[in-house]
Amino acid sequence: GGPGQRRVGLARSFNLGGATEVGVTGFRGRDGKWEKWVRRRCGGYVEAGAFRSRLAQNAAAFGKFSAVCHLGACSATTEKNAAYLIDNNYVDAVIQLPVDLFFGTTIATCIIVLKKSKNDNAVLFIDASAEVARVGNKNKLTKTHQKAILDAFTTRKDAEHFAKLVSNEDIGANAYNIAVSSYVEAEDTREIVDITELNARIAQIVTRQQEL
């Protein structure tokens, strides 16, 4: 997406990491939001409508590419666009990233990997929200975290609480929702309480209080 503080913050983070071939797409307006892009380095700009038309006409020309999106782009609010991508089997993977990774924003983001000529009719969902280390005042994906994500992406197999391969048919049945949390169950880290033991301890406390 083009204008807006969040998108500019993402682009600056990419620039700081050495990436300059950042493609930008959106609906270019006449407001001042686009002025924020003056100091950013990107590979080019394509109007959203033209981008979608070019993708429909010759998706192979794009090969495989990734888009970093805020979580709203993965919810049912974008059902129309998600339906187009899923029905044409363009979505290869959706990777949930940790919060507070990028410059100027703390929003949760995800990576949507688009690919032409896939070998299956499914999408790999990876929950990498816990793959993070706190460095200074921002979160960071270390080499170890990056390897864990890449390994899951490469093997393309289910991994409990981390990765899930879901058929396009099942995604369509779920209103084309491509949020990772809809398919990868988060690990329950709550303490397991033995109710029988707890009730026995309560009964002991009550008995002790009555004796006093």
Side-chain angles (χ1 to χ4, degrees):
Q5 184 64 37
R6 293 174 179 175
R7 281 80 166 184
V8 176
L10 293 178
R12 179 172 182 181
S13 295
F14 292 141
N15 288 167
L16 291 174
T20 58
E21 292 300 307
V22 181
V24 183
T25 182
F27 296 99
R28 182 162 49 191
R30 297 182 179 274
D31 53 41
K33 290 183 177 180
W34 286 95
E35 295 177 0
K36 301 184 181 72
W37 279 93
V38 173
R39 291 173 293 176
R40 304 282 75 83
R41 291 166 290 166
C42 60
Y45 171 82
V46 181
E47 283 284 341
F51 175 76
R52 182 166 178 175
S53 295
R54 287 167 60 182
L55 183 64
Q57 293 171 4
N58 187 16
F62 290 93
K64 180 171 68 175
F65 63 93
S66 302
V68 177
C69 310
H70 60 83
L71 289 190
C74 298
S75 68
T77 59
T78 54
E79 181 177 334
K80 181 178 179 181
N81 292 330
Y84 170 80
L85 293 172
I86 295 297
D87 288 344
N88 285 282
N89 200 28
Y90 291 151
V91 182
D92 190 43
V94 181
I95 305 170
Q96 172 65 60
L97 297 176
V99 299
D100 202 15
L101 278 180
F102 299 102
F103 180 86
T105 180
T106 61
I107 61 171
T109 55
C110 65
I111 296 175
I112 302 178
V113 181
L114 304 179
K115 182 180 179 181
K116 178 67 174 177
S117 302
K118 293 167 52 183
N119 296 324
D120 57 21
N121 294 308
V123 176
L124 178 67
F125 292 90
I126 300 176
D127 184 2
S129 58
E131 298 295 315
V132 67
R134 193 70 177 177
V135 179
N137 62 351
K138 300 296 288 185
N139 285 333
K140 183 177 180 179
L141 291 173
T142 66
K143 294 294 184 181
T144 301
H145 299 135
Q146 294 174 31
K147 184 178 184 304
I149 297 171
L150 183 59
D151 287 348
F153 179 77
T154 303
T155 57
R156 205 169 175 81
K157 294 181 179 180
D158 291 355
E160 191 175 17
H161 307 306
F162 189 63
K164 181 73 174 179
L165 190 62
V166 183
S167 70
N168 292 343
E169 182 179 358
D170 287 345
I171 296 173
N174 194 27
Y176 293 99
N177 190 322
I178 55 173
V180 173
S181 59
S182 297
Y183 306 100
V184 181
E185 182 181 1
E187 184 177 4
D188 189 350
T189 58
R190 294 175 298 179
E191 181 183 359
I192 299 176
V193 178
D194 187 326
I195 299 299
T196 301
E197 181 183 351
L198 179 61
N199 287 336
R201 290 173 59 187
I202 292 174
Q204 292 175 357
I205 294 173
V206 171
T207 300
R208 194 177 304 118
Q209 288 179 335
Q210 290 175 343
E211 292 174 350
L212 294 176

